Amino acid sequence: MFRTPIKHCRNCGASVIYRVPDDGDTRERAVCPACVTIHYENPLNVVGTVPYWGDKVLLCKRNIEPRWGKWTLPAGFMELNETTLEGAARETVEEAGAQFEMEDLITVLSVPGVGQVHMFYLARLTSDVFDPGHETIEARLFSEDEIPWGEIAFRTVRETLERYFEARRRGAFEVHNLDIR
Ligand code: ZN
């Protein structure tokens, strides 16, 4: 199980049980036997950017688990009351302290095994000076042949970087919808 099972009802605090609700549902849910609240669990959105400067992209060395010390694109969980684009921009500021202009979406990656959807936007850097936050050990630019492919933190980041450099070579950017299983 990739997410900790729900133990207590969010409404009344009673212990829940996992069962298929009686309303025609087909999946097991955490159902409260006391107040009958059904707790629906759905995928989380991870939003981020491919910040680029000329022929280089900005990667951040992670100062947090999981994958401490591995390189990633700036990305994180979307917050309530923000759009995907706002979340991606926020993460880029928080993790890299970068200055940039947000551009088009480049990848949408479903990761059903962990119940997540990752979305990456292009971000055109307007400065090559970075001020990374506490989640980042180091933020620096890499050309394609400098990318530490064996040290990339997540497969969604590797797939996005591959699509980005391929699009650059072709001179044509489009949205890639990918399934990571
Ligand atoms: Zn309850």
Side-chain angles (χ1 to χ4, degrees), residues 9-14 16 32-37 39:
C9 176
R10 195 161 56 194
N11 183 48
C12 75
V16 299
C32 177
C35 76
V36 203
T37 294
H39 302 77

Side-chain angles (χ1 to χ4, degrees), residues 17-22 25 27-33 36 38:
I17 49 166
Y18 272 83
R19 66 173 177 84
V20 179
D22 304 323
D25 203 338
R27 291 170 183 260
E28 285 199 342
R29 316 279 183 190
V31 181
C32 177
V36 203
I38 302 167

